[in-house]
Amino acid sequence: MIEIVSDSRGDTWRAVYTVRYLEAIYVLHAFQKKSKRGIATPARDLELIGRRLAEAEHLHRERQN
């Protein structure tokens, strides 16, 4: 997975995607980082990204058949 971080007007935005497949790019999650205390991505966002990655892998396998 690759994460893009962008700062705009004092806010931080992140997009997480995978480029594991030659014919598709799956954007797994995009969100505004709200915490000012740390740089870590919140656990609930990481769990969502993991579920969406599994779904992208499943969709990719289906398209290959």
Side-chain angles (χ1 to χ4, degrees), residues 8-64:
S8 175
R9 297 184 212 156
D11 293 325
T12 300
W13 297 84
R14 293 181 181 199
V16 180
Y17 66 96
T18 183
V19 292
R20 204 177 283 199
Y21 312 112
L22 294 175
E23 62 283 333
I25 296 174
Y26 293 94
V27 176
L28 303 174
H29 191 41
F31 58 100
Q32 180 181 12
K33 181 159 175 10
K34 304 246 181 186
S35 174
K36 304 293 184 198
R37 293 188 308 246
I39 62 171
T41 301
R44 71 175 189 272
D45 288 311
L46 292 175
E47 290 167 6
L48 178 61
I49 291 165
R51 287 193 308 271
R52 289 179 175 170
L53 178 58
E55 176 73 16
E57 290 171 341
H58 176 76
L59 288 171
H60 182 73
R61 281 193 302 274
E62 281 184 351
R63 290 183 179 145
Q64 295 302 307

